[in-house]
């Protein structure tokens, strides 16, 4: 038999998705892969039921159904504070996962360098390998997860083609300030690099923090590929609806990449999701309020159990410190946690470039009773998991 492709040798399957399978195996409360266990908004589901009897069963336009792009352009223009052309400045993709991959393939050549902040969402490593790019990792230093301007500039001096910016950030929960974004913007300008954003948590931000769209910084529209999705905003992660927003000369290229990768996102789901895109501002305020309450509930529970953790400014993840258990392998810790305590988590090492093994990631995009169930199980943590030699 001939050998399989070399490009697939450089990475394993997704640890995040693997932890979901392990959680199911042990019937654990799955706080690993980030997705809600509550229903999407009723109006979207009602529209989905209607759509099944309407004429949306064949391909939509490859770069997105007209109706969907118009509703999306209007909504994003409102939040970004700039006009967006639904015909020339949007490609609709199968989730932001495809958006990020298509964005990478649109801007990088094999051998090009790409800056990635660490810790990072694990897909970016695989995206880089699949598109032939070499990641340059720049650390976000805990506990505030801030970056050193010198370290970032040193990375830019290697002449990367692009920087990947996850904001609000998974897994750190960092929301980049306008001043921090301006530092990145100045460097992107000076060293002539693109910026590819992942802004899927744009509406899940905790006051007083505010989301600033990178593309809205002076001079940045021209060099930014803004990627996001409807998954988290409307609790429809299984619908796989994402998009890239960028100037027409970039979108023309991204349309081609997307067309040959997947042809298009599911037409009936695009049509049903238009209902969500047309929600007014009250919906987004309510979403932020709901997640603020969940964050407070969950973090208070962790505090009561005296488990040290990060304080997310946005997104719905929290990193827990497991140093006291003295495990060499955080993956093994997560397996024991799922089996003996009944809570599914993601090992922190799958997000860090640096050798970090003392953190695990949990998410709190769950119904309150699910969160209480997880906290009740975590009460037994120190009884059920005995420290290894520390
Ligand atoms: N973003 C989610 C997480 O970090 C998962 C997304 C996915 O698995 N596609 O858990």
């Amino acid at each position: 038999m001939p050998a399989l492709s070399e490009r697939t040798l450089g990475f394993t399957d997704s640890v995040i998705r693997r932890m979901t399978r392990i959680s199911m195996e042990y019937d654990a409360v799955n706080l690993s892969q980030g997705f809600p266990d509550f229903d999407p908004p009723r109006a979207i589901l009602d529209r989905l039921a209607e759509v099944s009897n309407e004429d949306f069963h064949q391909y939509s336009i490859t770069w997105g159904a007209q109706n969907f792009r118009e509703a999306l352009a209007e909504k994003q223009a409102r939040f970004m504070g700039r006009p967006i052309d639904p015909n020339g400045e949007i490609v609709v993709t199968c989730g932001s996962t495809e958006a990020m991959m298509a964005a990478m393939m649109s801007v990088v050549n094999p051998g090009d360098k790409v800056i990635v902040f660490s810790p990072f969402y694990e897909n970016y490593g695989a995206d880089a390998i699949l598109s032939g790019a070499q990641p340059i990792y720049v650390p976000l230093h805990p506990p505030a997860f801030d970056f050193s301007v010198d370290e970032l500039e040193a990375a830019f001096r290697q002449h990367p083609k692009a920087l990947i910016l996850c904001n609000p950030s998974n897994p750190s929960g960092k929301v980049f300030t306008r001043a921090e974004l301006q530092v990145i913007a100045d460097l992107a300008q000076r060293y002539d690099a693109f910026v590819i954003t992942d802004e899927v948590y744009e509406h899940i931000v905790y006051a007083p923090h505010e989301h600033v769209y990178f593309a809205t910084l002076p001079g940045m529209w021209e060099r930014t590929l803004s990627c996001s999705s409807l998954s988290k905003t409307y609790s429809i992660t299984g619908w796989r609806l994402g998009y890239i927003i960028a100037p027409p000369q970039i979108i023309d290229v991204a349309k081609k990449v997307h067309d040959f990768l997947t042809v298009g996102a599911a037409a009936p789901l695009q049509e049903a999701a238009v209902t969500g895109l047309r929600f007014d501002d009250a919906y987004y305020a309510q979403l932020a309020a709901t997640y603020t309450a969940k964050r407070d509930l969950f973090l208070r529970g962790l505090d009561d159990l005296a488990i040290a953790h990060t304080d997310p400014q946005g997104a719905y993840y929290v990193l827990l410190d497991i140093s006291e258990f003295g495990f060499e392998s955080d993956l093994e810790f997560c397996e024991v946690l799922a089996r003996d305590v009944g809570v599914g988590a993601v090992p922190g090492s799958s997000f860090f470039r640096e050798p970090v093994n003392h953190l695990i990631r949990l998410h709190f995009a769950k119904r309150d009773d699910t969160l209480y169930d997880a906290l009740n199980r975590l009460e037994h943590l120190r009884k059920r998991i005995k420290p290894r030699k520390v």
Side-chain angles (χ1 to χ4, degrees):
M1 289 289 284
L4 296 169
S5 82
E6 280 171 23
R7 77 167 67 79
T8 57
L9 299 177
F11 57 94
T12 64
D13 62 321
S14 152
V15 180
I16 296 178
R17 267 83 78 189
R18 199 191 308 164
M19 287 316 302
T20 280
R21 295 192 293 274
I22 290 175
S23 298
M24 287 165 84
E25 194 180 314
Y26 293 118
D27 208 16
V29 180
N30 182 12
L31 303 186
S32 61
Q33 188 181 16
F35 61 89
D37 66 348
F38 43 85
D39 281 343
R42 177 46 44 197
I44 297 181
L45 299 184
D46 289 347
R47 180 67 191 129
L48 178 63
E50 285 171 10
V51 163
S52 68
N53 290 312
E54 295 175 17
D55 191 14
F56 294 101
H57 301 295
Q58 310 309 326
Y59 305 121
S60 68
I61 295 173
T62 170
W63 56 87
Q66 190 69 30
N67 197 15
F68 183 92
R69 275 181 289 109
E70 283 173 9
L72 177 64
E74 205 178 287
K75 183 229 152 196
Q76 287 310 108
R78 195 163 89 231
F79 283 100
M80 293 172 79
R82 61 158 295 131
I84 293 165
D85 174 8
N87 298 316
E89 297 177 333
I90 294 179
V91 185
V92 181
T93 57
C94 299
S96 63
T97 300
E98 188 211 335
M100 296 293 291
M101 190 68 228
M104 287 279 280
M105 295 188 84
S106 299
V107 306
V108 307
N109 291 314
D112 281 347
K113 298 190 170 118
V114 175
I115 297 179
V116 177
F117 287 110
S118 169
F120 59 99
Y121 174 50
E122 59 175 3
N123 275 43
Y124 310 153
D127 288 349
I129 291 168
L130 286 172
S131 56
Q134 286 174 18
I136 311 171
Y137 294 97
V138 173
L140 292 172
H141 298 284
F145 294 102
D146 43 16
F147 60 85
S148 137
V149 179
D150 289 344
E151 283 174 340
L152 186 60
E153 178 143 24
F156 270 102
R157 268 194 231 105
Q158 298 180 48
H159 294 289
K161 194 69 175 290
L163 173 141
I164 296 179
L165 177 72
C166 182
N167 183 34
S169 200
N170 175 8
S172 66
K174 177 185 178 66
V175 174
F176 286 77
T177 64
R178 184 177 290 278
E180 288 173 320
L181 295 175
Q182 192 58 55
V183 169
I184 298 171
D186 291 344
L187 290 168
Q189 191 110 50
R190 187 161 344 130
Y191 292 92
D192 197 20
F194 289 106
V195 174
I196 300 173
T197 71
D198 175 352
E199 291 170 286
V200 300
Y201 305 99
E202 63 199 288
H203 296 293
I204 303 177
V205 176
Y206 308 113
H209 305 282
E210 280 179 13
H211 181 64
V212 176
Y213 290 91
F214 189 80
T216 65
L217 267 65
M220 286 304 107
W221 170 252
E222 288 69 24
R223 56 179 70 247
T224 303
L225 294 86
S226 303
C227 300
S228 192
S229 98
L230 280 67
S231 291
K232 319 288 183 185
T233 303
Y234 305 102
S235 308
I236 49 174
T237 61
W239 289 29
R240 315 308 303 126
L241 293 176
Y243 54 88
I244 309 174
I245 291 178
Q249 58 280 22
I250 297 177
I251 287 297
D252 282 349
V253 174
K255 278 177 177 171
K256 289 193 288 189
V257 175
H258 157 75
D259 190 0
F260 288 112
L261 275 177
T262 62
V263 180
L269 299 182
Q270 290 185 64
E271 179 56 28
V274 167
T275 302
L277 292 171
R278 299 230 183 266
F279 285 160
D280 62 18
D281 290 355
Y283 173 77
Y284 304 95
Q286 183 57 49
L287 183 78
T290 300
Y291 274 110
T292 300
K294 291 191 183 302
R295 182 195 64 159
D296 293 349
L297 180 167
F298 198 59
L299 298 191
R300 209 176 313 120
L302 293 176
D303 289 340
D304 289 346
L305 299 173
I307 301 173
H309 59 79
T310 52
D311 277 316
Q313 303 170 338
Y316 48 50
Y317 304 99
V318 56
L319 294 168
L320 277 53
D321 191 329
I322 54 157
S323 314
E324 65 181 90
F325 296 95
F327 275 57
E328 296 244 323
S329 159
D330 54 356
L331 179 61
E332 189 196 346
F333 182 90
C334 286
E335 283 174 5
V336 173
L337 185 72
R339 190 189 65 205
D340 297 348
V341 181
V343 175
V346 184
S349 56
S350 54
F351 304 102
F352 282 84
R353 176 62 177 170
E354 302 78 16
V356 166
N357 69 350
H358 68 288
L359 297 172
I360 61 169
R361 192 196 75 174
L362 297 181
H363 82 93
F364 47 83
K366 291 287 184 250
R367 296 192 312 263
D368 290 358
D369 58 313
T370 308
L371 296 176
Y372 283 122
D373 187 3
L375 288 168
N376 287 338
R377 291 168 185 232
L378 286 171
E379 249 183 67
H380 306 293
L381 179 64
R382 294 188 178 96
K383 211 162 54 213
R384 303 240 166 105
I385 305 185
K386 291 294 165 213
R388 304 271 162 98
K389 56 175 184 347
V390 191

